[in-house]
Amino acid sequence: MSRSLRRGSIAAIAALAIASLSSCAAGNTAETLEVKPDNASATLGTDIRLNNIVVVTGDESSGEHTGPANVTVNISNSGTEAIELQSITVGNGATASFTDEKGAALPAIIVPAGRALLLGGPGSPTAKIASTTVSVGGYVPTSFGFRNHEKVDAEAQVSPNKGLYQGYGPTTAPAAVPPKATGATTPAAPATGTTAPAAHH
């Protein structure tokens, strides 16, 4: 092999090595590799971590969903102070409302220091979206607003109310029972063997 060819081969090998080292230095995060994770996660500072961020729709398995949805996420607080989640926004600006496990409205979601909380799902507080348009099986931009104007943005997975997320989706409010009519009751039939009292003249 000529000296010039050897120099060319060495240069090519060096270039490949540098490229490989550069990709390792950049890390193997989904953002770096431009690969969507199966379950989105995000962090805020060193104490707050949001895991398994999913927007759960109805029972449809694919296609576009327009209507109510719930947001489920596991919020971990490893700090020394409680944190307060004040808002969740999905897609085109749809904002969630918070309720406790019994359905009562909550102004915010509190996660105590050193604890984790599952938002969404049976027996847990819920984040309900009245209506949004999302692609089932895809991803949707989701923003979490905390106290002190801190915010976390993530690409949440969109899943139907099936499989692992059965029971996490929006529930239909029970149909209202019509009230009983008033002022038009049927008179009771007289008891057998009784007669109306005779009129006195």
Side-chain angles (χ1 to χ4, degrees):
M1 183 183 290
S2 68
R3 185 174 301 174
S4 61
L5 287 175
R6 282 199 300 272
R7 283 200 298 268
S9 299
I10 293 170
I13 293 170
L16 287 172
I18 291 171
S20 177
L21 288 172
S22 298
S23 64
C24 290
N28 292 326
T29 64
E31 182 178 359
T32 301
L33 300 177
E34 297 184 354
V35 175
K36 298 293 187 183
D38 288 338
N39 293 299
S41 63
T43 57
L44 179 60
T46 58
D47 296 333
I48 303 173
R49 184 171 183 84
L50 284 67
N51 294 309
N52 299 332
I53 307 168
V54 181
V55 174
V56 186
T57 63
D59 295 334
E60 66 270 60
S61 298
S62 62
E64 187 175 272
H65 166 88
T66 299
N70 289 351
V71 180
T72 179
V73 56
N74 191 300
I75 307 172
S76 173
N77 176 17
S78 60
T80 58
E81 296 182 1
I83 59 174
E84 183 176 312
L85 175 65
Q86 296 181 330
S87 67
I88 300 177
T89 304
V90 172
N92 56 1
T95 303
S97 59
F98 300 133
T99 60
D100 66 15
E101 60 275 12
K102 296 181 180 179
L106 293 173
I109 300 296
I110 307 297
V111 184
R115 301 288 296 275
L117 179 143
L118 174 64
L119 179 60
S124 299
T126 303
K128 301 179 178 182
I129 304 290
S131 182
T132 187
T133 299
V134 292
S135 178
V136 179
Y139 292 83
V140 62
T142 307
S143 181
F144 298 82
F146 290 86
R147 186 176 53 194
N148 301 327
H149 305 290
E150 295 178 312
K151 188 174 75 166
V152 175
D153 295 324
E155 289 285 319
Q157 181 185 0
V158 181
S159 173
N161 183 38
K162 295 181 178 180
L164 291 175
Y165 297 101
Q166 180 72 45
Y168 285 67
T171 55
T172 304
V177 177
K180 293 182 179 180
T182 57
T185 57
T186 303
T192 303
T194 61
T195 57
H200 294 283
H201 296 285

